[in-house]
Amino acid sequence: MQYQQNFFYLCKTPLSAEGPEHVEIITRAEDSEDFPRVFKEFEDLRSHAFNDDKIYSVVRADDIYELVRTNTEKSAKELAYEKAEQEIITNLQHRVMQDGDANAKGILKEVYGIEE
């Protein structure tokens, strides 16, 4: 096995994502010294989804942000989508139940095969 360097990738997965190809790589940490910059950006991007008690709430998220550690952009997109998928479903189901969101209902049906 040949050594491959891993990086921390900051990824954005929209609620309408249908697969890893819809994940966007925002940035990556080039080395350990660069990690605090990427982590700060990760926290800033997720800040809108925190409730009054400063607890992250997936149902408040507009996009799902993930910080993954791997060796390629392709792998980062796959990992980010895999990690985000359940949060996306939860968010969309909440939007359907709370607001009757037709767009969220359509995504659940077409992408995930879930009838609400």
Side-chain angles (χ1 to χ4, degrees), residues 35-86:
F35 178 76
R37 173 191 64 82
V38 175
F39 188 75
K40 169 96 171 75
E41 189 170 348
F42 171 67
E43 287 184 320
D44 290 345
L45 289 168
R46 288 174 23 124
S47 65
H48 73 279
F50 284 81
N51 64 21
D52 294 337
D53 296 324
K54 304 295 183 215
I55 297 172
Y56 178 75
S57 172
V58 69
V59 299
R60 296 172 56 113
D62 295 327
D63 295 299
I64 306 299
Y65 294 94
E66 298 288 350
L67 194 55
V68 297
R69 186 169 188 251
T70 189
N71 57 349
T72 66
E73 284 192 12
K74 181 179 187 255
S75 178
K77 288 180 177 188
E78 290 168 353
L79 284 170
Y81 182 75
E82 183 179 316
K83 289 176 73 173
E85 192 171 22
Q86 189 56 50

Side-chain angles (χ1 to χ4, degrees), residues 13 21 33 53 59 76 88 105:
T13 306
E21 65 276 8
E33 289 81 34
D53 296 324
V59 299
I88 291 169
K105 187 174 185 174

Side-chain angles (χ1 to χ4, degrees), residues 71-113:
N71 57 349
T72 66
E73 284 192 12
K74 181 179 187 255
S75 178
K77 288 180 177 188
E78 290 168 353
L79 284 170
Y81 182 75
E82 183 179 316
K83 289 176 73 173
E85 192 171 22
Q86 189 56 50
E87 290 185 6
I88 291 169
I89 291 170
T90 300
N91 182 300
L92 294 171
Q93 287 174 325
H94 183 267
R95 289 173 186 238
V96 170
M97 287 187 297
Q98 293 296 315
D99 304 322
D101 187 322
N103 190 43
K105 187 174 185 174
I107 294 170
L108 283 169
K109 182 177 180 182
E110 293 298 318
V111 177
Y112 300 103

